[in-house]
Structures are given as C-alpha cells and as structure tokens.
Amino acid sequence: MRSNNVLVTRGPADVPDQSPRGASVPRESGFASGFANLSEAVDAVAAIDSLLSSLAASRAVLMESVREWVADQPDLFDAPEVEADDLAGLAPELVERLARALRVPESSAVALIEESRALVHEHPRTLAALRGGHITHAHAQTILGYTDGLRRGNRVALETRLLKHARTTTPGELSLVARAERERRLRPVRRAEPQVVAPAEHRSRRQRVSAVPTGRPTP
C-alpha cells in the first residue's frame, strides 16, 4: 500500500472552497486533478481507511484507560467501589457523559466500553492488527463477537484463524467463516460408547479364563 503522502503534501489550495452557507464547493483543481493514475487515487483512499482503523484502536485504548481511571476513583463518582475490570459497576456519570459526547444512546456507550476492554485485555493481537490498519473496525467487531464466550484455547485459536482471513475478506465474508468455525468448536465431541457384554457371553469368557493354568484366556 502506498503512503498517504499524496494527501499530506498538498497545500491549502487543494481544500474545497466554502459557500456563503458553509457548504463545500468543488474546485476544478481538486484532489482528482493531482493523481497520476487510478491506482494512486485508490491508494490514497485506502491510506485514509487505514488511518481510521488506527484511530479506532487508539480510541479503544483511551476508552479503557478512562474506564479504569473512573473505577479507581469511586469517591469522585456516584458509583460503588468496584474492581477495575468489573463492567457491571460502570459509573452512571461515565456512561451518561460518554453517550452525550459521542451522540449515541447509553446502551451504545456501554457496548463501546465493553468492546474497548475486550480489545485491550483479551484480544491484543486484534487490537494490533486494527492499529496497523490491516483490518477495519467492523472486522474487529466481528472477531470479538464470534470469540465471545469461548474457552481461552478455542478463543485464541479462532482469533488466529479469523485474523488471517480478515486481511482479504469483507466483514460479511468474515462473519460466514467465523460462524462455521465457532459452530465447529462448540460442537460436542462424540465419545465411543462402552461395549456392553451380554451376561451369557460374560460367563463364557470367565470359564475360558479359569480353565487355563496361566490365567490367560484361550485364543
């Protein structure tokens, strides 16, 4: 992937004008006129997309730091003292103010807090892939969703497989792979049923054993 130098090296002249009402007005000398070819143009968009992924990772780390800080300051917030990793004890003020700042419902704010904690503490490799721009936020959410509730060994194995697929699939395609892999790991292993020996056959075997001095059964 090319770097996003094509974007950062452009000057203010490439920024669209503003209309009297504040709306952007396209200029003839916009971004498109400066691209050498379509590949460079697409690479520039992909670079911004990678940057968005990296920002999502940074937000998760910051969100978890805020949660831990609030949990360590029970006297400052209207919440009972809880362990730093106890999501059930989230301070209502934290949820309320995050929801207001991000312009989302409080349930979405709680989900984002839980997602951030999972990325930082349970899925550091997914967080690293997100920070590096190798996967999108939607890919990361898919991985977290399908590994949730699995035992650690299965969770790590499924995460490893999904991270490999996430680099070349859409979130929807990754979801199909994840569903099949999760079902395979949750499917109970059928054990061979113990062989039941009929009473008559059991007695016959005992007779054959006792008839040999060495105590070994006859062939």
Side-chain angles (χ1 to χ4, degrees), residues 125-157:
R125 290 181 302 160
T126 299
L127 179 64
L130 186 63
R131 186 186 296 280
H134 305 301
I135 64 174
T136 67
H137 185 215
H139 286 103
Q141 289 178 313
T142 300
I143 293 173
L144 264 61
Y146 280 97
T147 55
D148 183 49
L150 295 178
R151 294 183 177 180
R152 187 179 185 282
N154 284 337
R155 186 180 74 235
V156 171

Side-chain angles (χ1 to χ4, degrees), residues 11-211:
D14 291 316
V15 178
D17 283 339
Q18 297 291 319
S19 70
R21 295 185 179 182
S24 296
V25 178
R27 302 179 65 175
E28 294 182 358
S29 58
F31 281 111
S33 63
F35 293 126
N37 50 52
L38 181 58
S39 295
E40 184 177 284
V42 172
D43 284 349
V45 176
I48 293 297
D49 194 64
S50 295
L51 180 60
L52 291 174
S53 296
S54 180
L55 289 174
S58 296
R59 182 182 64 175
V61 174
L62 179 59
M63 185 80 73
E64 175 58 11
S65 297
V66 171
R67 186 190 67 81
E68 291 180 342
W69 176 75
V70 171
D72 290 337
Q73 308 290 332
D75 296 337
L76 300 180
F77 302 95
D78 184 19
E81 185 173 356
V82 295
E83 296 294 332
D85 60 351
D86 184 6
L87 286 170
L90 287 175
E93 184 179 355
L94 170 62
V95 175
E96 179 183 349
R97 295 187 63 172
L98 275 176
R100 190 186 313 127
L102 300 178
R103 299 179 298 280
V104 297
E106 291 189 2
S107 58
S108 298
V110 171
L112 186 58
I113 295 172
E114 293 176 340
E115 173 187 299
S116 299
R117 178 186 178 277
L119 279 171
V120 172
H121 297 291
E122 298 176 7
H123 298 272
R125 290 181 302 160
T126 299
L127 179 64
L130 186 63
R131 186 186 296 280
H134 305 301
I135 64 174
T136 67
H137 185 215
H139 286 103
Q141 289 178 313
T142 300
I143 293 173
L144 264 61
Y146 280 97
T147 55
D148 183 49
L150 295 178
R151 294 183 177 180
R152 187 179 185 282
N154 284 337
R155 186 180 74 235
V156 171
L158 181 55
E159 180 184 22
T160 300
R161 185 166 180 79
L162 295 183
L163 280 173
K164 180 179 179 181
H165 282 278
R167 292 172 178 261
T168 57
T169 61
T170 66
E173 293 169 340
L174 182 65
S175 181
L176 295 176
V177 175
R179 183 180 297 113
E181 290 291 331
R182 180 181 173 91
E183 290 176 354
R184 183 174 67 83
R185 285 171 169 78
L186 290 177
R187 190 179 301 126
V189 179
R190 297 187 62 181
R191 298 181 179 179
E193 298 181 358
Q195 183 178 2
V196 179
V197 181
E201 182 181 353
H202 184 61
R203 286 196 300 269
S204 176
R205 287 184 179 180
R206 289 180 59 187
Q207 291 171 356
R208 290 200 302 271
V209 170
S210 60

